[in-house]
Amino acid sequence: MTGVGVELLGVIAVGIGAAAVLFAGLHALRKAGLDLPRWLLPAGIGLSMIGYSVWNDYTWYGRALDRLPAGAEVLMVGEDSQPWAPWTYLAPLTVRFAALDPATVQQNGQTRSAQIMLIERRGQTLVVPQEFDCQAGRIKPSHGDWVAATSDDPAFAAVCKEG
């Protein structure tokens, strides 16, 4: 099952749990003599499902970091805002990031190679091999040619740091 399918099952499970708790609570309050509107049950279920979905979106990045190998470095983080979730224009969601496991860095003569992990919220994780020529300041992407590394390239800085 894909990540979206698991998320959908989670939202449904939260809805069912909220329905049970709210039904029992509202039933007890009605037995106690309070006359409550009937719309409270579906509204409460809907709000709990939306709340879980928002929580799940905003905590994904932290959970993904916890699953990285020990010592892995985050190189870049991508955030996004979504029109169907207008609050993300105020607090954008982290939807992707690139990471490097220093244990994958290998010296190959004059160059170094490393595995860069590209992790996306609702996509598959890609592991991209890259070569680095630290003395010449060049990077060779997978299936590409050598290009000059920019001064702010986080992968080059992480692979070519002294030590």
Side-chain angles (χ1 to χ4, degrees):
M1 181 174 287
T2 66
V4 174
V6 171
E7 287 182 35
L8 183 59
L9 281 177
V11 169
I12 291 169
V14 166
I16 291 169
V21 170
L22 287 170
F23 181 80
L26 291 172
H27 182 72
L29 289 172
R30 284 195 181 103
K31 288 288 187 183
L34 290 173
D35 188 26
L36 299 171
R38 292 220 171 283
W39 58 264
L40 283 178
L41 182 63
I45 294 168
L47 285 174
S48 68
M49 293 169 80
I50 291 170
Y52 169 77
S53 182
V54 170
W55 170 85
N56 195 30
D57 281 343
Y58 278 102
T59 60
W60 167 80
Y61 178 62
R63 293 190 319 265
L65 289 179
D66 291 343
R67 289 190 304 267
L68 290 177
E73 286 182 54
V74 173
L75 303 173
M76 298 179 84
V77 175
E79 294 182 335
D80 196 14
S81 298
Q82 301 160 339
W84 58 86
W87 55 87
T88 61
Y89 289 101
L90 296 173
L93 289 171
T94 300
V95 294
R96 71 186 74 80
F97 65 96
L100 166 71
D101 181 3
T104 68
V105 177
Q106 296 178 347
Q107 188 73 39
N108 303 326
Q110 297 289 61
T111 64
R112 294 181 184 181
S113 65
Q115 305 289 320
I116 308 296
M117 296 176 280
L118 304 175
I119 302 162
E120 191 171 350
R121 169 78 171 100
R122 289 187 174 95
Q124 290 196 339
T125 297
L126 300 175
V127 178
V128 180
Q130 287 191 333
E131 290 186 57
F132 300 84
D133 185 346
C134 298
Q135 279 74 32
R138 301 182 306 163
I139 297 176
K140 183 179 181 189
S142 177
H143 307 295
D145 295 324
W146 287 102
V147 295
T150 60
S151 61
D152 61 344
D153 188 308
F156 185 82
V159 171
C160 292
K161 65 183 171 193
E162 297 299 317

Short mmCIF file of all heavy atoms in Angstrom, two decimals, residues 7-23 40-53:
data_model
loop_
_atom_site.label_atom_id
_atom_site.label_comp_id
_atom_site.label_asym_id
_atom_site.label_seq_id
_atom_site.Cartn_x
_atom_site.Cartn_y
_atom_site.Cartn_z
N GLU A 7 -2.10 6.89 4.78
CA GLU A 7 -2.63 8.13 5.37
C GLU A 7 -4.15 8.13 5.37
O GLU A 7 -4.77 8.55 6.35
CB GLU A 7 -2.13 9.35 4.59
CG GLU A 7 -0.68 9.65 4.84
CD GLU A 7 -0.24 10.88 4.09
OE1 GLU A 7 -1.03 11.83 3.94
OE2 GLU A 7 0.92 10.90 3.65
N LEU A 8 -4.75 7.68 4.29
CA LEU A 8 -6.20 7.63 4.20
C LEU A 8 -6.78 6.67 5.25
O LEU A 8 -7.77 6.99 5.91
CB LEU A 8 -6.64 7.21 2.80
CG LEU A 8 -8.14 7.19 2.53
CD1 LEU A 8 -8.74 8.58 2.76
CD2 LEU A 8 -8.41 6.73 1.11
N LEU A 9 -6.14 5.52 5.43
CA LEU A 9 -6.58 4.59 6.47
C LEU A 9 -6.46 5.22 7.85
O LEU A 9 -7.32 5.02 8.71
CB LEU A 9 -5.77 3.29 6.42
CG LEU A 9 -6.18 2.30 5.35
CD1 LEU A 9 -5.25 1.09 5.37
CD2 LEU A 9 -7.61 1.85 5.54
N GLY A 10 -5.39 5.98 8.08
CA GLY A 10 -5.22 6.67 9.35
C GLY A 10 -6.32 7.68 9.62
O GLY A 10 -6.86 7.76 10.73
N VAL A 11 -6.67 8.44 8.60
CA VAL A 11 -7.74 9.44 8.74
C VAL A 11 -9.07 8.74 9.03
O VAL A 11 -9.85 9.19 9.89
CB VAL A 11 -7.83 10.32 7.47
CG1 VAL A 11 -9.09 11.17 7.47
CG2 VAL A 11 -6.60 11.21 7.36
N ILE A 12 -9.32 7.64 8.33
CA ILE A 12 -10.57 6.90 8.57
C ILE A 12 -10.59 6.32 9.98
O ILE A 12 -11.63 6.38 10.67
CB ILE A 12 -10.74 5.80 7.49
CG1 ILE A 12 -11.03 6.45 6.14
CG2 ILE A 12 -11.86 4.83 7.87
CD1 ILE A 12 -10.96 5.50 4.96
N ALA A 13 -9.47 5.77 10.42
CA ALA A 13 -9.41 5.21 11.78
C ALA A 13 -9.65 6.29 12.83
O ALA A 13 -10.36 6.06 13.82
CB ALA A 13 -8.06 4.54 12.01
N VAL A 14 -9.08 7.47 12.63
CA VAL A 14 -9.32 8.58 13.56
C VAL A 14 -10.79 8.96 13.55
O VAL A 14 -11.39 9.22 14.60
CB VAL A 14 -8.41 9.79 13.21
CG1 VAL A 14 -8.87 11.05 13.92
CG2 VAL A 14 -6.97 9.48 13.58
N GLY A 15 -11.40 8.99 12.37
CA GLY A 15 -12.82 9.31 12.28
C GLY A 15 -13.69 8.31 13.02
O GLY A 15 -14.63 8.69 13.73
N ILE A 16 -13.37 7.03 12.88
CA ILE A 16 -14.14 5.99 13.57
C ILE A 16 -13.95 6.11 15.09
O ILE A 16 -14.92 6.03 15.85
CB ILE A 16 -13.74 4.59 13.06
CG1 ILE A 16 -14.22 4.42 11.62
CG2 ILE A 16 -14.32 3.50 13.96
CD1 ILE A 16 -13.67 3.20 10.92
N GLY A 17 -12.72 6.32 15.52
CA GLY A 17 -12.45 6.49 16.96
C GLY A 17 -13.15 7.71 17.52
O GLY A 17 -13.75 7.67 18.61
N ALA A 18 -13.09 8.81 16.78
CA ALA A 18 -13.76 10.03 17.23
C ALA A 18 -15.26 9.83 17.28
O ALA A 18 -15.94 10.33 18.20
CB ALA A 18 -13.41 11.20 16.31
N ALA A 19 -15.81 9.10 16.30
CA ALA A 19 -17.25 8.84 16.29
C ALA A 19 -17.67 8.07 17.54
O ALA A 19 -18.68 8.40 18.17
CB ALA A 19 -17.64 8.06 15.03
N ALA A 20 -16.88 7.07 17.91
CA ALA A 20 -17.22 6.27 19.09
C ALA A 20 -17.17 7.11 20.36
O ALA A 20 -18.09 7.07 21.19
CB ALA A 20 -16.26 5.09 19.19
N VAL A 21 -16.10 7.89 20.51
CA VAL A 21 -15.95 8.71 21.72
C VAL A 21 -17.03 9.79 21.77
O VAL A 21 -17.66 10.01 22.82
CB VAL A 21 -14.53 9.34 21.77
CG1 VAL A 21 -14.42 10.38 22.86
CG2 VAL A 21 -13.49 8.25 21.96
N LEU A 22 -17.24 10.48 20.67
CA LEU A 22 -18.25 11.54 20.63
C LEU A 22 -19.66 11.00 20.83
O LEU A 22 -20.47 11.60 21.53
CB LEU A 22 -18.16 12.33 19.33
CG LEU A 22 -16.95 13.25 19.20
CD1 LEU A 22 -16.84 13.77 17.76
CD2 LEU A 22 -17.06 14.39 20.17
N PHE A 23 -19.95 9.85 20.21
CA PHE A 23 -21.28 9.27 20.37
C PHE A 23 -21.54 8.93 21.84
O PHE A 23 -22.61 9.25 22.38
CB PHE A 23 -21.44 8.02 19.50
CG PHE A 23 -22.79 7.40 19.61
CD1 PHE A 23 -23.86 7.93 18.91
CD2 PHE A 23 -23.01 6.30 20.43
CE1 PHE A 23 -25.13 7.37 19.01
CE2 PHE A 23 -24.27 5.74 20.55
CZ PHE A 23 -25.33 6.28 19.83
N LEU A 40 -23.53 18.15 16.14
CA LEU A 40 -22.27 18.07 16.88
C LEU A 40 -21.48 16.80 16.55
O LEU A 40 -20.26 16.83 16.48
CB LEU A 40 -22.53 18.15 18.38
CG LEU A 40 -22.83 19.53 18.95
CD1 LEU A 40 -23.10 19.45 20.44
CD2 LEU A 40 -21.68 20.48 18.66
N LEU A 41 -22.17 15.69 16.36
CA LEU A 41 -21.48 14.43 16.08
C LEU A 41 -20.73 14.48 14.74
O LEU A 41 -19.51 14.28 14.73
CB LEU A 41 -22.45 13.24 16.12
CG LEU A 41 -21.81 11.87 15.88
CD1 LEU A 41 -20.81 11.55 16.97
CD2 LEU A 41 -22.88 10.80 15.81
N PRO A 42 -21.38 14.78 13.61
CA PRO A 42 -20.61 14.82 12.36
C PRO A 42 -19.58 15.95 12.34
O PRO A 42 -18.51 15.81 11.75
CB PRO A 42 -21.67 15.00 11.27
CG PRO A 42 -22.91 15.42 11.96
CD PRO A 42 -22.82 14.94 13.37
N ALA A 43 -19.88 17.07 12.97
CA ALA A 43 -18.90 18.17 13.01
C ALA A 43 -17.67 17.75 13.80
O ALA A 43 -16.53 18.03 13.39
CB ALA A 43 -19.54 19.41 13.62
N GLY A 44 -17.87 17.09 14.91
CA GLY A 44 -16.74 16.62 15.73
C GLY A 44 -15.90 15.59 15.00
O GLY A 44 -14.67 15.61 15.07
N ILE A 45 -16.57 14.68 14.29
CA ILE A 45 -15.84 13.67 13.51
C ILE A 45 -15.02 14.34 12.42
O ILE A 45 -13.84 14.04 12.24
CB ILE A 45 -16.82 12.64 12.91
CG1 ILE A 45 -17.49 11.82 14.01
CG2 ILE A 45 -16.11 11.72 11.92
CD1 ILE A 45 -18.67 10.99 13.54
N GLY A 46 -15.64 15.26 11.70
CA GLY A 46 -14.93 15.97 10.62
C GLY A 46 -13.75 16.77 11.14
O GLY A 46 -12.66 16.74 10.56
N LEU A 47 -13.94 17.49 12.25
CA LEU A 47 -12.83 18.27 12.82
C LEU A 47 -11.69 17.38 13.30
O LEU A 47 -10.52 17.73 13.14
CB LEU A 47 -13.34 19.14 13.96
CG LEU A 47 -14.14 20.37 13.54
CD1 LEU A 47 -14.72 21.08 14.77
CD2 LEU A 47 -13.28 21.32 12.73
N SER A 48 -12.02 16.23 13.87
CA SER A 48 -10.96 15.32 14.31
C SER A 48 -10.17 14.78 13.12
O SER A 48 -8.95 14.65 13.19
CB SER A 48 -11.53 14.19 15.15
OG SER A 48 -12.32 13.33 14.38
N MET A 49 -10.85 14.49 12.03
CA MET A 49 -10.16 13.98 10.84
C MET A 49 -9.28 15.05 10.21
O MET A 49 -8.14 14.77 9.80
CB MET A 49 -11.19 13.45 9.83
CG MET A 49 -11.92 12.20 10.33
SD MET A 49 -13.32 11.73 9.33
CE MET A 49 -12.50 10.88 7.99
N ILE A 50 -9.79 16.27 10.15
CA ILE A 50 -8.98 17.38 9.61
C ILE A 50 -7.79 17.65 10.54
O ILE A 50 -6.66 17.84 10.07
CB ILE A 50 -9.84 18.64 9.42
CG1 ILE A 50 -10.84 18.42 8.29
CG2 ILE A 50 -8.97 19.86 9.16
CD1 ILE A 50 -11.89 19.50 8.17
N GLY A 51 -8.04 17.64 11.83
CA GLY A 51 -6.95 17.87 12.79
C GLY A 51 -5.85 16.83 12.68
O GLY A 51 -4.66 17.15 12.70
N TYR A 52 -6.23 15.56 12.53
CA TYR A 52 -5.24 14.51 12.37
C TYR A 52 -4.44 14.71 11.08
O TYR A 52 -3.23 14.56 11.06
CB TYR A 52 -5.90 13.13 12.36
CG TYR A 52 -4.94 12.05 11.95
CD1 TYR A 52 -3.98 11.56 12.83
CD2 TYR A 52 -4.96 11.54 10.65
CE1 TYR A 52 -3.08 10.59 12.44
CE2 TYR A 52 -4.06 10.57 10.26
CZ TYR A 52 -3.13 10.09 11.15
OH TYR A 52 -2.23 9.13 10.75
N SER A 53 -5.13 15.05 10.01
CA SER A 53 -4.46 15.24 8.72
C SER A 53 -3.45 16.39 8.79
O SER A 53 -2.33 16.27 8.28
CB SER A 53 -5.51 15.51 7.65
OG SER A 53 -4.91 15.67 6.40
#
